Amino acid sequence: MRDYLLTLCVTAAVTYLLTGPVRKFAIATAAMPEIRARDVHREPTPRLGGIAMFFGLCAGLLVADHLQNLNSVFELSNESRALLSGAALIWIIGVLDDKFEIDALIKLGGQMIAAGVMVMQGLTILWIPVPGAGMVSLTDWQGTLLTVALVVVTINAVNFVDGLDGLAAGMVCIAAAAFFLYAYRIWYSYGIEAAAPATLFTAILMGMCLGFLPHNMHPARIFMGDSGSMLIGLVLAGAAISLTGQVDMDALRLFEGGSDRDVTHAALPVFIPLLLPLTIIAIPLADLVLAIVRRTWNGQSPFAADRGHLHHRLLEIGHSHSRAVLIMYFWSALIAFGVVGYSVHSASLWIVMVVVGLSAVGLVLLLMPRFTPRAPRWAQSFVPPRYRRRKFPAGTATSPEPGDGSGASGAPVEGSAGAADAEGGTAPGEAGERPERPPVPAGVNGATALGARSRAPHRRKAGTRG
């Protein structure tokens, strides 16, 4: 465990330290496109954050190669080199897209080629567990098709969910943490060395996301872009392929002795790998499927961008930017860790009860966009400003609660009560009008170094054509 933690920390440190210089490089090369209709941020922000994440991946693999307990991963299999080759290819495609806006079909072809490179070097699905039949071996073409499909779906699912500050990196980090616990249990508890590569990949993936998150949390100073979202999607898919299709679950010896009921409960961890790669991307995958159905229904291309994603809808119903991200974090953690916990203690009813209880809490939070907790006066200096009680001069109207009709970054949402005044006060000219705030200078987050702050164009409602 210490070696994995060391690898994680080195990966996170390299990613964190390189993100600042990469941000300056992105500004210098004008890799910060104008605001689009579907964007949530209000000023041009540099991309290319995937550059720092890729070098963090390389640093993590390099450190692991020189650790005695992890060196066997590189000696006994070629999976690490296969992952690095596919990651390098998809990273190059992402960098070009961040700078020059590559066509969606070209990116799809590049994703399939990157998956093919991984298959050619041995990172492929060899067998899958099937209920009632045990482990079923796959032919070469079956394994190749299944591997390419899993890689492409995971990459695009992560790419689709990358719409709010810190959302994609946080959700993938949560998924990687759940996958790490499951893979480490298979490797350490059962002594199956074939699970070591997946354990290493998820540890490195957590380091990449944790190192990038401080720069990407709202308000983000840099975006990972397609160079980062496709990269972490490929690494996540590589870990799932390594664990699902490379580890022979018959080696767990779970079918020996006992009653039929005991054998059924003991066999559950064999079939969890069939569900785990899907549960860890359940939220992004649902967003991907809904986006394809919605765009096809409206007569648009499945690759056409819009503002109908799940995170956009959270903003439209009144949630703030940070709260929408935390809600997505909550559901991702509940699904991923719930499945992992149930695979460990499948006979325990309390795990199911906890998951059901937390689901109820999540639904309550989802339906309460206008609720904003307020800290007591003695704790005012220890909490973020949005949770403090505001003081206004005598004779001015009090400010409404944050989130009442405001979208991300305080922008008013179309059709909401707060649209009358961008500052959340009463309409201009009415009695009790709040004093006008001083203008915010350009470059408040350092993202407008090339010019004045840009204003987002008019945004249509989610799911509408146009």
Side-chain angles (χ1 to χ4, degrees):
M1 178 63 75
R2 289 180 298 178
D3 292 336
Y4 287 117
L5 291 178
L6 176 60
T7 304
L8 187 154
C9 292
V10 171
T11 304
V14 172
T15 304
Y16 176 80
L17 294 176
L18 288 181
T19 302
V22 166
R23 178 179 173 277
K24 295 180 180 179
F25 171 77
I27 295 176
T29 57
M32 40 190 304
E34 291 294 328
I35 306 296
R36 299 164 295 187
R38 68 178 186 269
D39 290 333
V40 175
H41 58 282
R42 303 175 61 186
E43 56 186 20
T45 305
R47 294 184 180 179
L48 297 179
I51 296 179
M53 304 178 79
F54 177 74
F55 283 105
L57 170 66
C58 296
L61 292 175
L62 182 63
V63 169
D65 190 21
H66 289 80
L67 295 177
Q68 182 178 1
N69 294 331
L70 298 181
N71 187 37
S72 59
V73 175
F74 301 87
E75 294 179 350
L76 300 179
S77 69
N78 197 41
E79 296 181 24
S80 300
R81 285 176 283 273
L83 179 72
L84 184 59
S85 301
L89 181 58
I90 203 71
W91 172 70
I92 293 174
I93 296 174
V95 170
L96 294 177
D97 180 68
D98 289 340
K99 176 59 180 175
F100 302 108
E101 295 287 343
I102 298 178
D103 185 73
L105 292 178
I106 297 179
K107 287 195 296 183
L108 180 62
Q111 295 168 7
M112 299 176 66
I113 293 175
V117 169
M118 295 167 57
V119 171
M120 292 176 59
Q121 299 191 49
L123 187 55
T124 181
I125 298 177
L126 301 177
W127 47 67
I128 58 174
V130 177
M135 303 302 296
V136 176
S137 299
L138 301 178
T139 62
D140 292 340
W141 69 269
Q142 289 174 338
T144 300
L145 290 179
L146 190 57
T147 301
V148 172
L150 181 59
V151 171
V152 172
V153 169
T154 306
I155 288 176
N156 286 281
V158 175
N159 193 19
F160 270 51
V161 83
D162 184 23
L164 297 179
D165 298 348
L167 181 58
M171 292 182 65
V172 172
C173 184
I174 293 172
F179 215 160
F180 173 82
L181 294 177
Y182 181 80
Y184 183 80
R185 177 173 176 265
I186 298 297
W187 171 74
Y188 183 79
S189 299
Y190 294 95
I192 300 178
E193 290 293 335
T199 311
L200 176 62
F201 297 161
T202 50
I204 293 176
L205 182 57
M206 282 191 290
M208 296 165 60
C209 297
L210 290 175
F212 185 73
L213 269 175
H215 300 272
N216 191 233
M217 293 301 292
H218 181 70
R221 293 179 293 173
I222 185 172
F223 295 152
M224 66 172 66
D226 283 2
S227 59
S229 61
M230 293 197 300
L231 175 63
I232 61 178
L234 182 135
V235 176
L236 183 61
I241 292 169
S242 177
L243 186 63
T244 304
Q246 296 281 331
V247 176
D248 186 0
M249 291 299 172
D250 287 338
L252 298 179
R253 300 184 299 275
L254 299 175
F255 305 96
E256 299 176 358
S259 63
D260 294 340
R261 181 177 180 180
D262 295 335
V263 170
T264 301
H265 285 298
L268 184 61
V270 174
F271 305 115
I272 284 297
L274 283 176
L275 302 176
L276 193 56
L278 299 179
T279 56
I280 59 182
I281 60 169
I283 302 299
L285 185 61
D287 195 12
L288 173 63
V289 174
L290 292 175
I292 293 176
V293 173
R294 179 179 64 252
R295 294 166 184 174
T296 305
W297 182 268
N298 292 331
Q300 300 174 337
S301 169
F303 302 102
D306 60 13
R307 285 181 52 85
H309 293 289
L310 296 178
H311 49 270
H312 289 139
R313 296 185 182 275
L314 288 176
L315 297 178
E316 287 185 353
I317 66 177
H319 289 289
S320 64
H321 191 295
S322 300
R323 187 178 299 167
V325 172
L326 292 177
I327 289 175
M328 299 285 281
Y329 284 178
F330 174 83
W331 284 107
S332 298
L334 181 62
I335 295 174
F337 286 99
V339 171
V340 172
Y342 189 71
S343 69
V344 176
H345 298 287
S346 58
S348 299
L349 182 61
W350 67 269
I351 294 181
V352 179
M353 299 302 295
V354 169
V355 172
V356 172
L358 291 177
S359 299
V361 173
L363 290 176
V364 171
L365 295 177
L366 186 64
L367 299 176
M368 295 179 61
R370 298 178 181 273
F371 172 73
T372 301
R374 292 298 181 187
R377 296 187 181 279
W378 59 268
Q380 295 285 320
S381 58
F382 302 101
V383 297
R386 61 179 175 273
Y387 298 125
R388 301 173 185 172
R389 301 180 185 273
R390 298 182 180 180
K391 299 180 180 180
F392 299 97
T396 60
T398 58
S399 173
E401 297 293 330
D404 289 356
S406 60
S409 304
V413 177
E414 183 180 1
S416 62
D421 185 7
E423 296 295 337
T426 58
E430 294 182 2
E433 180 180 4
R434 287 181 57 189
E436 184 178 358
R437 295 181 180 179
V440 180
V444 62
N445 297 321
T448 55
L450 301 182
R453 171 180 296 215
S454 300
R455 293 295 181 184
H458 178 72
R459 298 169 177 171
R460 62 182 181 276
K461 288 185 177 294
T464 58
R465 299 183 61 178

